[in-house]
């Protein structure tokens, strides 16, 4: 039976901290790391309304692919078996759906600590993953400490 750990990334320092924890789990469980990045369609929709320069779905997916490639390269440097996965959609939904499809052992994801208006408007991807994922979720705080949900 294959062990699979999904490590979502958004290219942030929080995702990097989570990746280190995920890599440690992968080593202990002899698991394959699934470096998952999602081209967030919400960003392309928001930027097309105003604010930052317009980004197409392809633009956000291309950026996500770069993040996934970087995470996968870091996993390979640690000697881990790795799959690079790029999706386009709503990040929390895509992460949970991929976990169900894969029947993964766990998801290891960083918390960004959003507060105030930004959290109310955007919500938290991590919170949504914890609530909807069909597998255990390990959350990694900005200081590197972990929680399991």
């Amino acid at each position: 039976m294959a062990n699979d750990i999904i490590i979502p990334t958004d290219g942030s320092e929080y995702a990097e901290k989570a990746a280190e924890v995920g890599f440690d789990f992968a080593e202990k469980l002899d698991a394959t790391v699934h470096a998952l990045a999602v081209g967030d369609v919400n960003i392309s929709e928001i930027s097309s309304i105003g604010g930052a320069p317009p980004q197409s779905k392809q633009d956000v997916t291309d950026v996500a692919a770069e993040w996934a490639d970087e995470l996968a390269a870091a996993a390979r440097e640690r000697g881990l078996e790795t799959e690079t996965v790029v999706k386009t959609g709503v990040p929390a939904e895509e992460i949970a759906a991929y976990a169900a499809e894969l029947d993964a052992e766990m998801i290891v994801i960083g918390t960004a600590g959003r507060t105030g208006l930004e959290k109310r408007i955007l919500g938290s991807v991590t919170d949504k993953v914890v609530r909807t994922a069909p597998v255990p979720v390990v959350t990694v705080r900005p200081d590197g400490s972990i929680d399991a949900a």
Side-chain angles (χ1 to χ4, degrees):
M1 181 173 153
N3 291 320
D4 297 290
I5 296 176
I6 298 170
I7 306 176
T9 183
D10 61 2
S12 69
E13 66 183 272
Y14 307 108
E16 289 176 14
K17 284 197 185 270
E20 290 302 317
V21 171
F23 295 164
D24 290 343
F25 277 114
E27 286 174 343
K28 290 175 184 166
L29 298 172
D30 192 28
T32 299
V33 169
H34 294 258
L36 171 62
V38 179
D40 187 347
V41 294
N42 291 321
I43 291 173
S44 65
E45 292 169 3
I46 290 169
S47 64
S48 66
I49 295 170
Q55 296 179 347
S56 69
K57 287 181 182 179
Q58 187 60 53
D59 291 338
V60 295
T61 302
D62 289 346
V63 170
E66 290 174 22
W67 295 334
D69 287 342
E70 289 171 8
L71 180 64
R76 283 187 205 99
E77 285 178 18
R78 294 254 316 242
L80 298 168
E81 186 175 331
T82 307
E83 297 286 331
T84 304
V85 183
V86 180
K87 303 279 187 179
T88 303
V90 177
E93 293 172 9
E94 294 296 329
I95 293 165
Y98 185 66
E101 173 188 325
L102 186 63
D103 194 24
E105 272 54 56
M106 72 178 72
I107 298 168
V108 180
I109 188 169
T111 61
R114 284 191 180 131
T115 60
L117 183 62
E118 182 180 28
K119 184 171 182 175
R120 282 189 297 233
I121 291 172
L122 299 175
S124 168
V125 170
T126 300
D127 288 343
K128 289 176 187 173
V129 169
V130 167
R131 284 187 277 118
T132 62
V135 302
V137 178
V138 175
T139 59
V140 180
R141 296 173 186 257
D143 67 3
S145 62
I146 63 172
D147 292 314

